[in-house]
Amino acid sequence: GGGRVRPRRPSPTKLPWGAMAQLVEKVKIIVNRLSVKKEYREDSYKEFATMLETLGIDAVTDKRRIETHIASKPVFNVTIAVLIIVSVIIVGVELDMNIGYKLEERLGFFLADVLFTLIFFIEMLLRQNQLGWDFFLDPWNFFDYALIVVNCADVVADVLNSVGGGAKVATGMRIIRLMRVARHTKGLRPLLGMYMVVQGMVESLKTMVWTGLFLVIMTYVFAISLMTVVDTPVVWERMTESQLYMGSVYNSMMTIIQVFTLDDWASDIARPLLFDAHNTPAVIVLILAIIVCNYGILNLIIALMVERMSVMRKDIEAGNGKILSRIEQGVLTSLGNDFRRYDSDRNSELDHKEFMNLIRQPETSFKLRLLGFRLEEAESFFHIMDADHSNSISPEEFIQGLNRVRGLARGADICSLISFVQRQSLRARDNVHIIRNLSRQADKIQERLNEIGKRLHDEIHERNDRKQRSDDLWDQAQARTGVITNLDKDRRVQFPSVRHSY
């Protein structure tokens, strides 16, 4: 068994633009009430709390309405994408036939144009109904709105028999609508590559503009350098097309563009400069232009697009992972509820019979299949999850067991390994408790041995003192014995003298 399953934290709901404006207005009203009349404060606090709850409910409702709107349906988006492709094909066919711009000459194409304009206008209205004013926050929607306005102007121009440049511009802009196909194929996995290419180019457009401006500057710099090094009479005399390639700044810039795009630059420009005019510095300038503009700046633009596509792919994978994780957590929560519902003896645990009854239910089997488990594989989960050998599993053991065995590295062997590790962990935990008890007992024995050692040390010290005193007594006794022996010897050998007294 393991720890408890943490409840999943609800994700914050993003308020739409309209709801945010309503929130600001209501907050202003309540702040004014709080500052004007003191007796209204309690009611205002209640109204403020109620208003926040209402806005939260409205935000959830708006989110569900957007998700269930017809403009969010995959069939609707795929249909619009197909119609965009058909409209672009019709424009190409019309231009290829070259039938002119008069209404009576292109009546069929004009009716098709009106029909597609009407369809895309209805699509725009549906998306505005879906998103409200947030519709114009999306650059794609704003771009589509501009195209529809231009299409309407084109239709009016056709009716008025106007064949000026505006109609041609409108026709050209309708071709750009083909890029919207990538947006409508966002959720289609087979067309994910096309969506990433177009979206990556659009999202890196700002950086590409600055890179393109830098490319123009470098082209101008190399053009000035080229004109400077070729401004000799030899070049103008021996190179027949020198005025075409280097006669002005504009011509020199076009020459630099031809050079770094590798468009016949060696045969048309480099060889005449090197072998006819004998101008080596000009060839060096051309080679530097190729290195800087082609291998440097142009590859930098490609690198920016590739880097943006890589970031988008990671974002898409992360988003899909979050969605999949949220769905799996919901399935696991539902399985936890089923676990408690099939606990017949109400002891918060399932024995083997109750567990088998649970996983053989159709709804439980379906949920396990959503998590990637077969019924045969799930039947062996009981003994794997029962790590403490209690012949029953708790809800925590059930959910954590499912979390461990699901995924890429799952199967009977992996599950058995997990169960073995859990058993060894429990056994090691028990051994640690035993070792700790033995260590405490050893500490007590060590304390007693230290006390006994101290007493023995004191006793040995006392014995040494007694031995020292005994030796001193023996030395003193031996000295007294020697003195007595000497006195006795003197008493026997020496006699007292006899004195005559007269």
Side-chain angles (χ1 to χ4, degrees), residues 101-284:
Y101 287 96
K102 292 184 178 181
L103 184 60
E104 58 272 10
E105 294 177 353
R106 53 181 298 270
L107 183 60
F109 293 104
F110 172 74
L111 294 177
D113 191 14
V114 172
L115 177 61
F116 284 116
T117 302
L118 181 61
I119 292 174
F120 296 139
F121 183 75
I122 294 174
E123 178 212 358
M124 183 187 68
L125 293 179
L126 289 174
R127 295 195 184 279
Q128 285 184 345
N129 178 261
Q130 176 194 19
L131 301 175
W133 289 107
D134 293 343
F135 173 84
F136 294 99
L137 298 179
D138 190 349
W140 280 108
N141 292 335
F142 189 80
F143 170 71
D144 189 46
Y145 175 79
L147 284 181
I148 292 175
V149 172
V150 173
N151 281 356
C152 294
D154 189 20
V155 171
V156 174
D158 286 338
V159 173
L160 298 177
N161 291 326
S162 175
V163 293
K168 296 181 180 180
V169 173
T171 302
M173 291 188 66
R174 288 203 302 269
I175 303 299
I176 305 177
R177 181 181 276 122
L178 188 61
M179 296 179 62
R180 288 186 55 222
V181 175
R183 177 190 179 183
H184 295 292
T185 58
K186 179 179 180 180
L188 301 178
R189 191 173 184 84
L191 301 179
L192 179 61
M194 183 180 68
Y195 167 76
M196 291 181 60
V197 170
V198 176
Q199 192 70 15
M201 184 180 66
V202 171
E203 293 189 4
S204 59
L205 188 60
K206 182 178 179 180
T207 308
M208 290 173 60
V209 168
W210 290 109
T211 308
L213 180 60
F214 179 65
L215 179 62
V216 172
I217 294 174
M218 294 305 300
T219 303
Y220 178 78
V221 170
F222 282 114
I224 296 298
S225 302
L226 181 62
M227 290 187 65
T228 302
V229 297
V230 300
D231 191 14
T232 60
V234 178
V235 175
W236 306 124
E237 292 175 0
R238 297 186 180 183
M239 188 172 178
T240 58
E241 297 181 346
S242 58
Q243 290 294 332
L244 176 63
Y245 289 111
M246 293 156 289
S248 65
V249 176
Y250 177 76
N251 291 346
S252 297
M253 291 182 67
M254 296 302 297
T255 300
I256 294 298
I257 293 175
Q258 179 181 350
V259 168
F260 71 70
T261 55
L262 307 179
D263 182 16
D264 292 336
W265 71 281
S267 59
D268 294 345
I269 305 171
R271 283 191 175 90
L273 283 173
L274 184 62
F275 298 113
D276 297 339
H278 303 289
N279 196 321
T280 304
V283 178
I284 294 175

Side-chain angles (χ1 to χ4, degrees), residues 48-58:
F48 184 74
T50 305
M51 180 265 294
L52 289 179
E53 295 175 359
T54 304
L55 283 179
I57 296 173
D58 292 341

Side-chain angles (χ1 to χ4, degrees), residues 13-26 55 58-60 62-63 65-66 128 130-138:
T13 304
K14 183 179 180 181
L15 293 176
W17 186 270
M20 184 62 69
Q22 294 177 7
L23 174 61
V24 173
E25 292 298 328
K26 291 188 177 182
L55 283 179
D58 292 341
V60 175
D62 290 341
K63 183 178 179 181
R65 183 183 61 81
I66 292 174
Q128 285 184 345
Q130 176 194 19
L131 301 175
W133 289 107
D134 293 343
F135 173 84
F136 294 99
L137 298 179
D138 190 349

Side-chain angles (χ1 to χ4, degrees), residues 73-84 184-185 188:
K73 303 295 182 182
V75 176
F76 177 81
N77 290 317
V78 172
T79 303
I80 294 298
V82 172
L83 290 175
I84 291 174
H184 295 292
T185 58
L188 301 178

Side-chain angles (χ1 to χ4, degrees), residues 325-358:
S325 177
R326 188 161 57 247
I327 293 174
E328 289 180 349
Q329 289 297 328
V331 173
L332 289 173
T333 303
S334 179
L335 286 173
N337 296 331
D338 295 339
F339 183 96
R340 295 177 180 87
R341 189 168 65 250
Y342 283 91
D343 183 15
S344 57
D345 52 4
R346 303 301 178 187
N347 62 346
S348 299
E349 291 187 349
L350 293 184
D351 55 21
H352 186 266
K353 182 178 179 180
E354 293 173 337
F355 178 79
M356 298 302 293
N357 185 29
L358 169 64

Side-chain angles (χ1 to χ4, degrees), residues 203-460:
E203 293 189 4
S204 59
L205 188 60
K206 182 178 179 180
T207 308
M208 290 173 60
V209 168
W210 290 109
T211 308
L213 180 60
F214 179 65
L215 179 62
V216 172
I217 294 174
M218 294 305 300
T219 303
Y220 178 78
V221 170
F222 282 114
I224 296 298
S225 302
L226 181 62
M227 290 187 65
T228 302
V229 297
V230 300
D231 191 14
T232 60
V234 178
V235 175
W236 306 124
E237 292 175 0
R238 297 186 180 183
M239 188 172 178
T240 58
E241 297 181 346
S242 58
Q243 290 294 332
L244 176 63
Y245 289 111
M246 293 156 289
S248 65
V249 176
Y250 177 76
N251 291 346
S252 297
M253 291 182 67
M254 296 302 297
T255 300
I256 294 298
I257 293 175
Q258 179 181 350
V259 168
F260 71 70
T261 55
L262 307 179
D263 182 16
D264 292 336
W265 71 281
S267 59
D268 294 345
I269 305 171
R271 283 191 175 90
L273 283 173
L274 184 62
F275 298 113
D276 297 339
H278 303 289
N279 196 321
T280 304
V283 178
I284 294 175
V285 171
L286 298 181
I287 294 176
L288 290 176
I290 293 175
I291 295 174
V292 174
C293 297
N294 190 317
Y295 300 133
I297 301 176
L298 292 182
N299 286 333
L300 178 62
I301 294 175
I302 298 175
L304 290 173
M305 294 181 59
V306 172
E307 188 270 339
R308 187 58 198 168
M309 290 173 58
S310 176
V311 172
M312 287 178 54
R313 188 171 190 87
K314 291 181 180 179
D315 292 342
I316 292 174
E317 292 178 353
N320 293 337
K322 290 180 180 178
I323 294 173
L324 183 60
S325 177
R326 188 161 57 247
I327 293 174
E328 289 180 349
Q329 289 297 328
V331 173
L332 289 173
T333 303
S334 179
L335 286 173
N337 296 331
D338 295 339
F339 183 96
R340 295 177 180 87
R341 189 168 65 250
Y342 283 91
D343 183 15
S344 57
D345 52 4
R346 303 301 178 187
N347 62 346
S348 299
E349 291 187 349
L350 293 184
D351 55 21
H352 186 266
K353 182 178 179 180
E354 293 173 337
F355 178 79
M356 298 302 293
N357 185 29
L358 169 64
I359 64 173
R360 288 174 180 173
Q361 297 299 321
E363 63 274 12
T364 306
S365 179
F366 175 72
K367 294 172 185 176
L368 291 174
R369 286 199 303 271
L370 290 178
L371 295 176
F373 301 125
R374 300 188 306 272
L375 180 61
E376 298 80 7
E377 187 179 9
E379 290 178 350
S380 62
F381 286 171
F382 182 84
H383 299 291
I384 296 174
M385 296 175 182
D386 185 20
D388 54 358
H389 297 284
S390 61
N391 293 325
S392 62
I393 58 175
S394 63
E396 291 78 11
E397 290 176 333
F398 179 66
I399 298 299
Q400 288 190 357
L402 291 177
N403 278 325
R404 290 191 183 100
V405 298
R406 67 186 177 91
L408 296 177
R410 66 171 183 265
D413 296 335
I414 300 298
C415 295
S416 300
L417 178 61
I418 294 173
S419 178
F420 173 77
V421 171
Q422 288 180 339
R423 293 191 183 98
Q424 295 301 320
S425 177
L426 292 175
R427 192 172 298 173
R429 185 178 63 187
D430 296 338
N431 291 334
V432 167
H433 289 312
I434 294 174
I435 292 173
R436 287 177 178 174
N437 292 330
L438 293 176
S439 178
R440 285 193 291 268
Q441 296 294 330
D443 291 339
K444 293 179 180 179
I445 295 173
Q446 183 66 38
E447 291 177 358
R448 294 177 180 176
L449 290 176
N450 291 337
E451 186 178 357
I452 294 173
K454 184 178 179 181
R455 292 177 180 178
L456 289 175
H457 180 269
D458 295 339
E459 184 177 353
I460 292 173

